[in-house]
Amino acid sequence: EVQLVESGGGLVQPGGSLRLSCTASGFTSSNFQMSWVRQAPGKGLEWVANINQDGSQRFYVDSVKGRFTISRDNAKNSLYLQMNSLRAEDTAVYYCARDRQCYIWGQGTMVTVSS
Amino acid sequence: DVVMTQSPLSLPVTLGQPASISCRSSQSLVYSDGNTYLNWFQQRPGQSPRRLINKVSNRDSGVPDRFSGSGSGTDFTLKISRVEAEDVGVYYCMQGTHWPLTFGGGTKVEIK
């Protein structure tokens, strides 16, 4: 079964850091671009970042540039999102999704930024 | 950035009746390879989003044929031929042509 499982969410203070992980199973993730998408409580979907198959190209939404870093470890079929200098407005469920067109989604992991 | 504008925001529908959601982009979504990367997603209450339609009109695997997508350039439509109870949720369009990728604001489909 094709599946994505996110982990690493939690409560963090403003200015703090968190690293999210996404593990893929049922397919070879190295064959696909991967994306992170977030959804603030009660709000719509917002694309956050994308990485190509070998990690040589990365794209970000302006609001996270310089603070978030997307990376991957193809040997581990894993995708990561390093989040630094977190703000209250980063509070959201973070989903990983397969490929640029977001075909397969994980169940999401909740990130809460609050003092 | 490409702005994706969906309408209506809310769509009350009678069971068995059709429903239509509009999505307009602020610029053409035709990519350099000739494809138009416009996707539709369904998010049922309490669930992760699920992609229904890719490249304007291609239904993803397992998606009922009552869902159809159409459009071109900057104007796109998702239609449900006969709404069923399981179709309740929020529907989003997303353009995958230009960076940053962008979503529409969502349309909430509910049963009258």
Side-chain angles (χ1 to χ4, degrees), chain A residues 44-45, chain B residues 3-6 23 91-95 102-107:
Chain A
L45 301 171
Chain B
V3 177
M4 305 296 289
T5 303
Q6 283 183 238
C23 175
Y91 292 77
Y92 298 93
C93 59
M94 184 204 93
Q95 66 84 14
T102 46
F103 288 87
T107 295

Side-chain angles (χ1 to χ4, degrees), chain B residues 31-111:
Chain B
Y31 191 55
S32 54
D33 63 2
N35 288 310
T36 299
Y37 292 101
L38 185 284
N39 306 289
W40 288 98
F41 298 86
Q42 174 195 62
Q43 188 174 32
R44 291 170 171 154
Q47 295 187 12
S48 301
R50 168 200 184 193
R51 198 177 75 182
L52 300 176
I53 303 284
N54 67 88
K55 286 189 284 188
V56 181
S57 60
N58 297 291
R59 264 191 310 276
D60 280 299
S61 176
V63 174
D65 60 7
R66 64 180 181 275
F67 290 95
S68 64
S70 63
S72 63
T74 62
D75 201 349
F76 306 94
T77 302
L78 175 71
K79 291 182 179 176
I80 310 174
S81 59
R82 292 173 304 280
V83 171
E84 298 188 5
E86 66 179 18
D87 300 335
V88 165
V90 182
Y91 292 77
Y92 298 93
C93 59
M94 184 204 93
Q95 66 84 14
T97 297
H98 305 283
W99 301 110
L101 309 185
T102 46
F103 288 87
T107 295
K108 186 175 185 178
V109 172
E110 55 187 13
I111 305 300

